[in-house]
Amino acid sequence: MALTEVAVERLRVGVFIHLDTPWMQHPFLTSKFKLRSEKQLKVLRSLGVKLVQVDAERSDCAPWEPAEVPPPSPEVGLESALDELAEETLAIAADPDLDAETAALWEEKNQRIRKLKERRARLNQCAKRYTTSVISARKLFPLLESMPGEALRAANELVAGMIDELGADQETTVQLINLKHLEENSYFHAINVVALALVLGRELALNVRDLRLLGLGALFHDLGHQQLPSQILLKKGPFTRPELMLYRRHPAIGLQMAKRMPTLPRPVMEIIGKHHEHLDGSGYPQGLREQDLGMLTRVISIVNRYDNLCNGFAARRGLSPHQAVSLMYAKEKSHYDGQVLSAFISCLGVYPPGTVVRLEDERLAVVTSVNRDDLAKPNVLVYAPDVPKEEAVILDLSEEELGVRESLHVGALNQDQVEYLNVSDKLSYYFEKKKHGRRG
């Protein structure tokens, strides 16, 4: 990227500039942007900036050539020319429209800062609830063999608490939870599936009873993993055929374990035994078809597949959230209930939370939440090294007339970008209650 130093008086609308002024000393949302109006030019001149860097590749036009900039009148002497320049500067500073424009830019910038701080506070609460749920799951699973009744009581309590957090009269949105300690992988996966399943169940208008069954089934769906050798669950790389056959027995193994819990509801047992079955008969372990699979099982099969794709199985590298949704819709659609899959995409969007994207103006960003009015135009947090990480810009792409050019895997980012956007190659999900009419 070649930058050229240009005098401010040569700038015009359409030129993309890099402003060296510290971020907190100018009213623009970022220090790198395309000039879109004469008012922006006036505001820029009022800052007293003499030179800026121009990015020709991202500009719609070239700056004015020096010869094209109107020179002072030849009959006016140097002193008069300086007086004229001073008067022009004073006129810009006194321009009421400029004052209003500058104030509007500062207000927009401050609103973005306040919005980000509020969002960080909400996400911190989501992360705390997520962590609490993982700790509860970690405590109850060891009790399944020795105290199945106590384990089931704790599981029901955990799921009921998450449903209460989901709320009854509020819209919910899936949120990315960034946690650094992912050593308890099976418990993180279980809570991911519970959280995503409950949001999807609410989208499908399931009643509270069915939501409880759905959550319980999501929590226990991989019960059979407990009887598999660790060398299978933790293996790096593809399975051998015998290993694959053994792994594919885990739904049946889990069902046998579930039968030793006499009070476990039948729909939950179905989820445990059938969560890898497909509507077209291509699943396992029995190759069942549509007529054999209940609605709750259909929900879990989609959510479980999505989380496995994003996080990979064991140590294998996962797909980006966008890649996972695209694969499921484009290549695996026949596996799933079409209505449930469409509802799932409505919950997550075309670019689900956690997707790293390159915008049409080449900036990098991470998707923070879904825009239900336009699933292809999510809310994103933008990578801008000139802006402090704590005050990073969040854009609603539907309001910016800006789109996504492509999705990227986190592996394509450098370490500074990873830290700034706060993304990792292991994704965890929870949900946030959003009052109607509130976005971002």
Side-chain angles (χ1 to χ4, degrees), residues 305-312 317-322 324-325 409 425-427 429:
R305 176 60 171 165
Y306 174 78
D307 192 60
N308 281 335
L309 286 173
C310 288
N311 286 317
R317 190 171 191 172
L319 303 179
S320 76
H322 172 68
V325 167
H409 195 278
D425 58 358
K426 289 291 183 182
L427 304 177
Y429 294 98

Side-chain angles (χ1 to χ4, degrees), residues 89-371:
T89 301
L90 288 173
I92 290 175
D95 186 344
D97 291 335
L98 176 65
D99 286 344
E101 178 71 10
T102 304
L105 287 172
W106 273 116
E107 177 57 26
E108 182 180 5
K109 187 171 186 173
N110 289 332
Q111 282 181 0
R112 293 287 175 90
I113 294 172
R114 288 194 295 270
K115 183 177 180 180
L116 183 67
K117 289 179 178 177
E118 291 170 0
R119 172 175 167 73
R120 288 192 190 283
R122 297 198 308 269
L123 287 185
N124 285 339
Q125 289 301 313
C126 283
K128 288 178 181 177
R129 294 196 297 268
Y130 179 90
T131 302
T132 298
S133 297
V134 169
I135 291 171
S136 297
R138 188 174 57 200
K139 289 179 178 177
L140 73 87
F141 270 87
L143 300 176
L144 287 171
E145 290 288 341
S146 59
M147 303 175 65
E150 177 64 19
L152 186 55
R153 183 201 63 76
N156 277 310
E157 188 175 290
L158 169 59
V159 170
M162 291 180 68
I163 292 172
D164 287 343
E165 291 171 358
L166 191 66
D169 302 316
Q170 293 176 305
E171 180 185 346
T172 57
T173 182
V174 174
Q175 296 290 352
L176 178 70
I177 304 296
N178 286 299
L179 299 172
K180 302 301 182 184
H181 306 293
L182 295 176
E183 66 275 5
E184 301 288 355
N185 194 49
S186 61
Y187 303 121
F188 282 88
H189 173 64
I191 297 303
N192 281 352
V193 175
V194 175
L196 291 171
L198 290 179
V199 172
L200 179 52
R202 174 58 51 80
E203 181 75 11
L204 294 167
L206 298 184
N207 59 39
V208 173
R209 176 184 175 276
D210 284 342
L211 284 176
R212 288 177 179 170
L213 293 171
L214 183 67
L216 203 59
L219 185 64
F220 287 142
H221 75 281
D222 273 338
L223 190 60
H225 277 197
Q226 296 196 25
Q227 299 296 324
L228 293 182
S230 59
Q231 60 265 34
I232 295 289
L233 296 177
L234 301 179
K235 182 178 180 181
K236 297 180 181 180
F239 288 140
T240 64
R241 180 168 180 77
E243 289 171 338
L244 179 62
M245 297 301 292
L246 177 57
Y247 175 76
R248 288 190 167 187
R249 289 181 55 203
H250 81 264
I253 294 171
L255 185 58
Q256 291 302 313
M257 295 175 65
K259 288 177 180 178
R260 296 198 290 270
M261 302 170 64
T263 57
L264 199 63
R266 187 171 296 276
V268 175
M269 296 178 69
E270 179 187 316
I271 289 171
I272 294 170
K274 299 181 180 180
H275 65 278
H276 281 292
E277 300 286 1
H278 297 152
L279 268 65
D280 60 3
S282 63
Y284 63 86
Q286 294 179 270
L288 301 176
R289 289 186 171 271
E290 180 176 358
Q291 64 273 15
D292 301 310
L293 305 177
M295 175 57 72
L296 303 187
T297 300
R298 298 180 188 201
V299 169
I300 299 301
S301 68
I302 288 175
V303 170
N304 179 60
R305 176 60 171 165
Y306 174 78
D307 192 60
N308 281 335
L309 286 173
C310 288
N311 286 317
F313 179 66
R316 298 170 200 169
R317 190 171 191 172
L319 303 179
S320 76
H322 172 68
Q323 290 170 333
V325 167
S326 299
L327 174 67
M328 292 175 70
Y329 189 81
K331 297 185 177 180
E332 300 179 351
K333 195 173 182 180
S334 63
H335 296 354
Y336 313 115
D337 184 303
Q339 177 189 0
V340 179
L341 183 59
S342 294
F344 187 58
I345 294 173
S346 293
C347 291
L348 292 183
V350 177
Y351 302 100
T355 303
V356 177
V357 295
R358 190 186 308 279
L359 303 179
E360 290 174 341
D361 62 4
E362 298 298 330
R363 285 183 290 177
L364 295 174
V366 63
V367 176
T368 59
S369 58
V370 176
N371 180 355

Side-chain angles (χ1 to χ4, degrees), residues 27-28 36-44 46 95-108:
F28 302 107
R36 299 187 182 278
S37 69
E38 291 293 338
K39 287 184 177 180
Q40 281 188 330
L41 266 172
K42 281 188 175 184
V43 171
L44 180 61
S46 74
D95 186 344
D97 291 335
L98 176 65
D99 286 344
E101 178 71 10
T102 304
L105 287 172
W106 273 116
E107 177 57 26
E108 182 180 5

